[in-house]
Amino acid sequence: MGRYRCAVLGPLRVWGPDGDEVTPSGVLPRRLLALLVLRRGAVVSVDAAIELLWPDGGPNNPAAALHSHMSRLRRVLPEVIDSAGDGYRLDPARVVVDADELGEILDGGGSPASILRRWIGPAYPELDMVDEARAESVRLEELRVRAREAEAADRLAAGRTDGLAAELRAVVDEYPLREHPRALLIDALAATGRSADALRVYDEFRRLLADELGTEPSEPLQQRYQQLLTGDQRTEAAQPLPMSVTALLGRADLLAETEALLADARLVTLVGPGGVGKTRMLLELGRRHIATPVVWCELAGTDADGAVGAVAAALAIDVRPGIPLDERIAGVIGTTEMLVLLDNCEHVIEPIAALVDLLLTRCPRLRVAATSRERLRVAGEQVRRVPPLDTSPGVELFLERAASVTGELALEPAVVDQISAIVTRLDGLPLAIELAAARMYSHEVDEIAAGLDRQFDFLSAGYRTATRHGSLATAVAWSVDLLDKPLREAFTSLSVFSGPFDVAAAAAVCGTELGPAADRLTELTERSLVMRAPGRRYALLETLRTFGRTERATIDDTAGARHANYFVDWVERTDLELAHSAAVIPRIDDTITELHRALHWLLDHRDTANAARLVAALTDYGLLRLRPDVLGWAELVIAADSDAAGPTAAGVLASAAYARWMAGDLPGAYDRAARSLTVCDDPPYNSYGAYGVCDLFSGRFDESAEWYRRAAVIPDRPASNMDVATWTMLLGYAGDPTVAQRSAELVAETGSVTSPYVAYALYCAGEAILDIDQDRARDLLDRALRMAEATGTTFVSGVAGASRASLDVRSRRTADAAAAYPALIRSWQRAGMWSTQWVMLRSIALLLDQLGRSEQAAVLDGAIRAAAADQPLGSDREVLDQLSQRLRTALGDNDFEQARRHGADLGNDAILDYTLAALGPQT
């Protein structure tokens, strides 16, 4: 029988004897298999496996859960994993592990290149919390370094030095105290005519060893240094490339892309906001460029009049009387092949762009790479944006810089999570991350996180020698100070937004027409102060937004007023589209942070009338999207103006009633709904619906139906079929003989429209006929679920999904029902909506009884009866009473009562955890 192949040099992957991949899905099965592979041939005890899978506490029966995971692994890898005593063992004769193969290749003198090609990441990443795995990963990392050194030596011996120095530089940066890659780098530089650079590498190493270890380089390396000193050295007159003193992290792909681009294009400009790392990228490009001489020119310290002179000085070109300096530079360069690096062009953009255009025209073998916060706009220019760092390299940068001021760090996972949050809050800007990490010299991580509430004051201890990068505020102000007055006013106004925005919103906030707003957005985008976002929208980095808000706080905040008023009007218009558009809920989702900001501005400025308009317009969204948090905004408006009256005030109270109903506070919901009906002569339809839902969940079905009937006839409302639909559903609960016909008419009225309201109507049409036509009901509920998914109508996904699963319980399709309920439970739990959760738990109790899990059903029965605010009513109570009697008979009086007491003692979240476990596989 063939052997399985396991790859552990990176994320775990497994292939069967036939070559097909059989890697198990799921984090826990992969983690378990990784441990078995790591300890192949040895027994992994049950206790060790449980500790690995659930270090912070696991399921109620971890041994059973472990057995379940192990059974699935055995199905994927038959005859590979054996039971052995109190544990499990992976048969080493049945697997081939890539780490073993690679060690044999290297020890046997095989090709190092083949080793490196098969290495895709740190070994055993699934076991980063296991000491034994970390030790093995360190051993294998040493194997990787040896392979890189061996490959470099082979290439050097064969004369294949193209790109070799850059690759070795990366190894040296990663392992600064390792001598062999340093010696190889010196030889590679010398072999390509860069002896001066080779000498600098040696001197850097000598000083590093003296400072860190108090030793000297080895005798052979010292002899190599002497050979270089006595050789024929050529001194460049041009300004040398500064040495990078820190490693470049998270830029490998962009660096490779830009390096390849520079090989074909003659002008490449790196653009991005201040502090994003453009200069560091430019240095690395220059360091890797070994084909021609490289000249470095720093422009930050000059002005427009001195810009051309700064370039001439960098090139060591003197002034000749009577010859314009730009002409002099072009004449000296002539046909010389070289790469000129121009750093920080944004404040001298006009003279530098003119000079570069002239040089590219007159000097055919010249290449230029530049950094700027806006492009040069010169013919032939290739622009590449330098984006902020992703979270992972951002955390790596933080840890590296923190270690430089504190020594080695040993951080708990929770602390690393805090650092991830810090990196995200700082937009992944390397400068901001470095400034925050530097605070580790005197602060703990949680103190740094708290300090970001005043980040421009807090992140002010940068490098003494870096004027522009000495603080985050200075780096941002460098860009903002270059703006003219209209652009600066637009930038500060746009900082009012909390997230992405479109041109129309920008125009409203800036107080301009669409055309001028679009022009200013284009200019700010050019200067890297505004970014493009998906969907033809724009956004500001949080750091830039905070800076703008700080500036705006010093002036009259008219932008805040314009922002709030715009979004009040926007949400009222958008609410009217819920009846006929499939995309409205996602649009409101994308705008909810702006609406929240607008609400608080209005409340802070005592504009409760407009705050009430905003909240009332969000009622149907909050209900259909299952957002009790958004509905709960109504309480803020009520607290600000408890005596408000009129239709809008009634809408706010209705919204508050729905929020309290969702949270399971039926008395509070009744209070808000009753007030909603009395604060004006003609209450809106939501006032009737809010009282109707309270009666519905109190078992007053006839009264509830009457409220919805009254709501359905209110004129000038956006969607009468919502209340007609609920009324039809209630007629079904009451056993009305006309309900089948009414259900069909309701469906017919929806036509071909796709909208959240139609999704709800289809649900009600199906729910109404559950007891008389299950096949038709199942079809309608399935249609409701599909439309809910297409429109983002989470409430309908929950209620229709629960009804669909209850149909499966009635039809004794136990497997389908058991598979559907866990996701529904979690959905209602996330929303905090206990009113519907308890209704669904009653169906689950019936399902557990069908599955023969009488004890679990009895526990659930006890919890349901202990929830006094959510007691079953009507036929539901009869069904539950019949279930209780069956369970008492099956378990006996003592066990039944004990199980019910256990359920009654469980809290809400605890009973959900118990139910999820009860629905899972049983051992």
Side-chain angles (χ1 to χ4, degrees), residues 686-892:
N686 272 327
S687 298
Y688 294 100
Y691 210 97
V693 80
C694 292
D695 276 349
L696 172 61
F697 277 77
S698 298
R700 300 183 179 94
F701 298 131
D702 292 341
E703 293 88 342
S704 178
E706 177 60 17
W707 287 116
Y708 283 108
R709 187 197 63 76
R710 293 173 64 183
V713 298
I714 291 178
D716 301 326
R717 50 163 300 148
S720 60
N721 65 356
M722 279 275 287
D723 296 310
V724 170
T726 311
W727 179 50
T728 303
M729 179 178 67
L730 289 168
L731 292 177
Y733 291 165
D736 189 291
T738 68
V739 72
Q741 179 182 347
R742 293 183 183 277
S743 173
E745 290 171 351
L746 178 62
V747 174
E749 288 172 5
T750 63
S752 60
V753 175
T754 297
S755 77
Y757 287 150
V758 173
Y760 180 77
L762 290 171
Y763 153 69
C764 290
E767 180 79 1
I769 57 173
L770 276 179
D771 292 329
I772 60 176
D773 189 345
Q774 291 190 4
D775 290 339
R776 172 68 172 161
R778 181 176 284 108
D779 176 66
L780 290 172
L781 292 173
D782 286 342
R783 288 175 58 188
L785 286 168
R786 289 193 296 271
M787 192 170 293
E789 178 68 22
T791 58
T793 314
T794 318
F795 178 75
V796 173
S797 295
V799 291
S803 292
R804 182 67 171 77
S806 73
L807 269 180
D808 288 333
V809 174
R810 296 185 188 197
S811 305
R812 306 193 73 83
R813 298 179 181 180
T814 55
D816 291 341
Y821 276 127
L824 293 166
I825 290 172
R826 295 188 185 96
S827 177
W828 294 126
Q829 186 179 28
R830 283 192 299 271
M833 191 162 171
W834 281 96
S835 298
T836 49
Q837 187 83 270
W838 286 114
V839 173
M840 191 170 67
L841 289 176
R842 296 166 201 160
S843 292
I844 295 175
L846 296 172
L847 172 63
L848 293 175
D849 178 45
Q850 290 180 10
L851 291 169
R853 301 172 188 178
S854 301
E855 181 181 350
Q856 290 100 321
V859 170
L860 203 52
D861 180 50
I864 292 167
R865 293 182 183 279
D870 294 282
Q871 287 302 299
L873 302 159
S875 61
D876 277 1
R877 175 177 289 280
E878 295 177 12
V879 171
L880 192 62
D881 288 343
Q882 292 169 9
L883 171 65
S884 299
Q885 188 57 49
R886 289 197 304 274
L887 295 176
R888 184 183 296 276
T889 301
L891 294 173

Side-chain angles (χ1 to χ4, degrees), residues 94-390:
R94 295 300 318 282
V95 297
V96 177
V97 182
D98 60 353
D100 297 340
E101 287 184 303
L102 299 185
E104 292 169 5
I105 291 172
L106 191 61
D107 293 339
S111 168
S114 67
I115 298 175
L116 295 174
R117 279 196 300 270
R118 297 171 61 182
W119 205 292
I120 62 173
Y124 294 102
E126 299 83 2
L127 303 176
D128 57 358
M129 74 299 290
V130 178
D131 292 341
E132 179 184 352
R134 288 198 294 267
E136 178 65 0
S137 181
V138 170
R139 183 186 74 82
L140 293 172
E141 179 63 17
E142 171 64 20
L143 184 71
R144 183 175 72 91
V145 179
R146 285 174 52 201
R148 294 170 73 179
E149 292 172 350
E151 183 195 34
D154 289 348
R155 288 173 59 185
L156 195 57
R160 294 183 284 108
T161 57
D162 186 29
L164 181 59
E167 294 173 23
L168 285 167
R169 180 78 247 184
V171 180
V172 166
D173 289 345
E174 192 173 358
Y175 302 95
L177 296 175
R178 198 177 181 103
E179 183 172 285
H180 192 195
R182 186 83 60 160
L184 290 168
L185 175 59
I186 290 170
D187 286 344
L189 291 169
T192 53
R194 298 171 62 187
S195 298
D197 289 337
L199 289 170
R200 281 195 290 271
V201 170
Y202 175 86
D203 189 61
E204 175 192 72
F205 186 54
R206 179 186 59 77
R207 286 185 279 107
L208 182 65
L209 287 180
D211 292 341
E212 297 288 335
L213 304 177
T215 62
E216 291 286 331
S218 68
E219 186 66 25
L221 192 56
Q222 292 183 44
Q223 292 175 1
R224 183 72 180 103
Y225 173 66
Q226 292 299 322
Q227 291 172 359
L228 290 170
L229 281 177
T230 58
D232 182 18
Q233 303 301 315
R234 181 173 64 89
T235 302
E236 298 288 345
Q239 186 170 315
L241 185 67
M243 292 296 294
S244 301
V245 296
T246 57
L248 182 64
L249 301 174
R251 302 298 194 196
D253 291 344
L254 179 61
L255 189 61
E257 178 191 350
T258 310
E259 193 175 9
L261 186 63
L262 193 58
D264 297 326
R266 297 184 58 212
L267 171 60
V268 175
T269 305
L270 300 172
V271 300
V276 82
K278 302 182 298 295
T279 298
R280 186 66 183 82
M281 275 281 296
L282 191 67
L283 279 171
E284 189 67 18
L285 278 174
R287 191 171 63 78
R288 292 187 174 207
H289 190 83
I290 60 176
T292 58
V294 178
V295 177
W296 173 264
C297 180
E298 167 61 68
L299 295 167
T302 189
D303 57 18
D305 294 334
V308 176
V311 176
L315 289 161
I317 295 174
D318 58 353
V319 178
R320 294 292 174 89
I323 302 177
L325 190 52
D326 56 352
E327 293 285 345
R328 169 73 175 149
I329 295 171
V332 171
I333 294 177
T335 59
T336 304
E337 188 172 4
M338 68 170 60
L339 171 65
V340 175
L341 306 177
L342 303 175
D343 192 34
N344 297 300
C345 299
E346 55 273 348
H347 64 300
V348 289
I349 198 79
E350 296 295 339
I352 288 298
L355 176 63
V356 169
D357 187 51
L358 173 68
L359 295 181
L360 292 177
T361 303
R362 297 272 298 277
C363 307
R365 304 181 69 190
L366 172 72
R367 297 180 189 277
V368 177
T371 69
S372 178
R373 298 184 193 184
E374 60 177 301
R375 57 197 173 112
L376 301 184
R377 286 192 276 186
V378 170
E381 179 183 31
Q382 297 290 318
V383 180
R384 287 297 177 270
R385 288 196 175 275
V386 180
L389 291 174
D390 291 334

Side-chain angles (χ1 to χ4, degrees), residues 6-8 10-14 21-38 49 52-53 66 69-70 72-74 76-77 81 90 124-130 133:
C6 297
V8 298
L12 177 71
R13 297 183 68 187
V14 185
E21 184 169 355
V22 294
T23 307
S25 60
V27 174
L28 297 185
R30 287 198 298 273
R31 188 181 296 170
L32 181 58
L33 181 55
L35 183 63
L36 290 166
V37 173
L38 174 67
L52 173 73
L53 298 184
L66 171 64
H69 284 304
M70 192 63 70
R72 287 196 288 270
L73 283 181
R74 285 171 158 173
V76 175
L77 291 87
I81 303 171
L90 186 141
Y124 294 102
E126 299 83 2
L127 303 176
D128 57 358
M129 74 299 290
V130 178

